[in-house]
Amino acid sequence: MDTYGNGKRSTSLLLIGAFALTAGAGCAEEIVAHQQVEREANRIVFLLRTEGGIAEANKVRDLEARELRFNVVVPADRSGDALRLLEAKNLPEERMADTQRVFEEGSMIPTNQQERAKREVGVQGDIVNELRKVPRVVEVSAVVSIPEDDPLRDINEARPRPEAAIIVQYQPDKSGKPPLSVEELQAFVQARLPEMRGNEVSVLLVPTQEAIADGQGGAARAGLGAGGPLLNPDRACEKSRVIGIEVCEGNGRKVLNVIVGAVIVAGILAAMAIFAVLRAMRYRKDLTRLTAQFERVKGSGGR
């Protein structure tokens, strides 16, 4: 009887253990995004639940992080689907160093080159981080070049302007259009670099690979035709006229200065020529008068 009871209890324990292992395997979770700020963690969880169909996706506070950070977890058997979706959406995002951060890490006695480089990196970070917040913007790349201002530059010479170029990867809407037009992107960048003009910003809008595969890429590019050029590379030499002469806009003042200088020099030379002619005429008049006086004196002496 005792042997039967012991065998029955052993069988029950084995069944309970097997059930626990099965339940534990079913509840196993895997982290798909580490140490995210709460807003970004909520965004990823919402995406996984709505577009990925992973209702069990959740955020869990990372107790090892010094600041308030969260890990995004999903069931282990759905981690592949979650990672595939996050890769397509370029998540989680890695924030670039913006202006605030680069100036917080400044040195005691920065050089002009360091200050210029820090501003370039900071402005690039500002542009990328802000544009990434726009819905349907997947990825942003920015390049900013701020020229060094020569202290010996002529006062009449135009100050060199910064240059900027951005590439925006986006998810098209149902009509194939991007979330922002070329003009809106140019105005946004120009607000960060007031020294340059909006139409001097080069913009490239690129749909995601999924949109191209679905046949939306062509529609997205066609939609840009009415809104402006896809790429604006002619910024370096925009034509303008100076006294009827067609020159690059940045060289207009230089050409005007050369023309004005030439006119001034020509005026000075003409004035000197006129002065020389008048002086020669005066000398000739004086010579004629002296010759007449000499002839009169000579005639009086002869008598």
Side-chain angles (χ1 to χ4, degrees):
M1 188 69 178
D2 291 337
T3 303
Y4 176 75
N6 291 335
K8 188 175 182 180
R9 282 194 297 270
S10 299
T11 303
S12 300
L13 290 174
L14 288 174
L15 291 174
I16 293 172
F19 177 77
L21 290 174
T22 303
C27 296
E29 294 180 328
E30 185 172 332
I31 299 175
V32 293
H34 293 262
Q35 295 190 353
Q36 301 295 305
V37 296
E38 187 170 12
R39 182 184 181 88
E40 192 67 15
N42 291 338
R43 176 187 175 192
I44 294 175
V45 169
F46 178 78
L47 177 70
L48 293 174
R49 290 179 179 178
T50 55
E51 296 191 27
I54 307 175
E56 301 84 0
N58 204 355
K59 70 176 190 293
V60 179
R61 182 171 180 179
D62 190 333
L63 300 178
E64 297 181 359
R66 295 183 178 181
E67 300 177 350
L68 183 62
R69 292 292 184 270
F70 295 87
N71 297 327
V72 178
V73 296
V74 298
D77 58 345
R78 299 297 306 275
S79 62
D81 298 333
L83 292 174
R84 192 177 301 109
L85 178 59
L86 294 181
E87 179 66 22
K89 299 296 184 179
N90 196 36
L91 293 172
E93 293 178 352
E94 182 179 355
R95 286 185 62 85
M96 294 184 61
D98 53 16
T99 304
Q100 179 180 357
R101 180 175 173 183
V102 296
F103 277 97
E104 286 175 352
E105 300 174 355
S107 57
M108 294 294 293
I109 308 178
T111 63
N112 292 334
Q113 290 80 4
Q114 289 174 332
E115 289 294 327
R116 185 163 54 88
K118 286 199 300 184
R119 189 185 175 208
E120 289 179 349
V121 173
V123 172
Q124 288 175 186
D126 292 341
I127 294 172
V128 171
N129 294 335
E130 292 301 318
L131 287 179
R132 279 177 174 172
K133 298 177 182 179
V134 178
R136 296 194 290 116
V137 170
V138 178
E139 181 55 62
V140 181
S141 299
V143 177
V144 173
S145 176
I146 301 177
E148 185 176 0
D149 188 15
D150 186 2
L152 302 179
R153 174 176 51 88
D154 187 274
I155 190 171
N156 295 320
E157 184 180 352
R159 183 176 181 177
R161 292 197 291 266
E163 298 180 359
I166 59 173
I167 302 175
V168 178
Q169 188 180 35
Y170 66 93
Q171 181 66 37
D173 60 10
K174 293 181 179 180
S175 61
K177 294 182 179 180
L180 296 170
S181 67
V182 171
E183 291 78 9
E184 289 172 331
L185 290 168
Q186 289 176 330
F188 175 81
V189 175
Q190 191 269 337
R192 267 66 183 173
L193 294 166
E195 303 94 329
M196 66 186 306
R197 299 173 184 173
N199 59 3
E200 293 177 336
V201 180
S202 296
V203 176
L204 179 61
L205 285 164
V206 183
T208 60
Q209 293 297 324
E210 292 78 8
I212 296 176
D214 294 340
Q216 291 182 298
R221 290 178 180 271
L224 288 174
L230 181 65
L231 182 64
N232 179 22
D234 298 329
R235 166 188 48 77
C237 187
E238 296 181 2
K239 299 297 184 180
S240 62
R241 287 188 172 273
V242 178
I243 316 180
I245 303 174
E246 190 177 76
V247 297
C248 289
E249 186 174 356
N251 297 328
R253 185 174 291 275
K254 293 181 180 179
V255 174
L256 184 60
N257 290 340
V258 171
I259 294 175
V260 172
V263 171
I264 293 174
V265 172
I268 294 174
L269 292 176
M272 293 176 63
I274 294 173
F275 177 76
V277 171
L278 292 175
R279 192 163 184 176
M281 292 175 64
R282 181 180 177 184
Y283 284 158
R284 183 176 181 180
K285 184 178 180 180
D286 291 342
L287 181 61
T288 302
R289 180 173 55 82
L290 291 174
T291 301
Q293 290 179 354
F294 176 76
E295 290 295 335
R296 285 197 300 269
V297 170
K298 182 177 179 182
S300 300
R303 289 193 299 268

